[in-house]
């Protein structure tokens, strides 16, 4: 897999001999996205001991965004995406606004983007995803983008509390919902057109 990724990267670099900036007007993106998170899980046993173990979760899916290239540097748009965890039945489904800056440094074209919105999966929560990366030119109006960053995806959890009501009875009561945020390391590769 590493050899294939290396060969594709070398071919893309060779194809992007002359760096071109995106032109003013409509611009769209379609990207494969993946996220990795490492969790600590804890659970008590009957004797009151707390057992903690570490587990990594991997999410994979796609995202698309469409908008307007204001000038060769600045893009603004909106989009959505879906990522599913490969081991758990969890989803990250963002709806977001996106701002992006494409730089031209000689023959190099790095970019930075930021996505702000809502994760509509798991009870809805905040979605925030800054990314930095590199754009390879692919023809007159297309490019290949590779980027890495951090994603914060919010979710909502219902909480319950338990209490002893007698010597042999235990009562569980609904407390309410709380919002939490999970951090992920994200990687995206895709095309712009």
């Amino acid at each position: 897999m590493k050899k294939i990724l290396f060969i594709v990267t070398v071919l893309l670099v060779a194809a992007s001999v002359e760096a071109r900036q995106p032109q003013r007007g409509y611009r769209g993106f379609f990207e494969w996205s993946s996220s990795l998170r490492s969790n600590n899980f804890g659970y008590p046993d009957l004797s009151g001991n707390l057992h903690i173990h570490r587990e990594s979760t991997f999410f994979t899916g796609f995202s698309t965004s469409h908008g307007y290239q204001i000038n060769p540097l600045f893009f603004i748009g909106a989009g959505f995406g879906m990522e599913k965890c490969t081991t758990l039945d969890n989803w990250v489904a963002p709806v977001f606004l996106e701002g992006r800056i494409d730089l031209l440094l000689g023959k190099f074209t790095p970019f930075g983007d930021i996505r702000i919105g809502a994760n509509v999966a798991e009870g809805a929560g905040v979605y925030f995803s800054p990314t930095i990366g590199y754009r390879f030119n692919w023809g007159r109006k297309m490019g290949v983008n590779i980027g890495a960053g951090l994603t914060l995806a919010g979710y909502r959890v219902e909480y319950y509390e338990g209490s002893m009501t007698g010597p042999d009875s235990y009562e569980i009561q609904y407390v309410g919902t709380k919002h939490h945020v999970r951090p992920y390391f994200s990687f995206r590769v895709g095309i712009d057109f």
Side-chain angles (χ1 to χ4, degrees), residues 11-57:
L11 290 175
L12 290 173
V13 169
S16 64
V17 175
E18 180 185 336
R20 292 185 198 100
Q21 287 291 89
Q23 298 302 311
R24 184 176 177 184
Y26 166 79
R27 189 173 180 196
F29 296 88
F30 187 78
E31 299 172 318
W32 168 72
S33 55
S34 60
S35 300
L36 179 65
R37 181 175 197 283
S38 187
N39 302 314
N40 283 332
F41 290 102
Y43 58 92
D45 61 15
L46 294 175
S47 61
N49 297 325
L50 183 64
H51 300 278
I52 297 177
H53 71 278
R54 188 166 203 70
E55 181 176 309
S56 293
T57 53

Side-chain angles (χ1 to χ4, degrees), residues 9 40 85 93 108 117 164:
T9 303
N40 283 332
C85 180
F108 298 102
M164 296 296 290

Side-chain angles (χ1 to χ4, degrees), residues 85-140:
C85 180
T86 56
T87 55
L88 306 172
D89 191 24
N90 289 353
W91 288 86
V92 174
V95 176
F96 55 85
L97 295 175
E98 180 177 14
R100 177 177 163 126
I101 185 168
D102 289 278
L103 300 173
L104 181 60
L105 306 172
K107 291 189 177 191
F108 298 102
T109 53
F111 72 87
D113 77 3
I114 189 165
R115 296 175 174 187
I116 299 172
N119 175 22
V120 296
E122 296 187 89
V126 69
Y127 178 80
F128 178 73
S129 183
T131 303
I132 58 171
Y134 192 80
R135 180 178 185 267
F136 299 94
N137 290 309
W138 190 20
R140 293 187 67 102

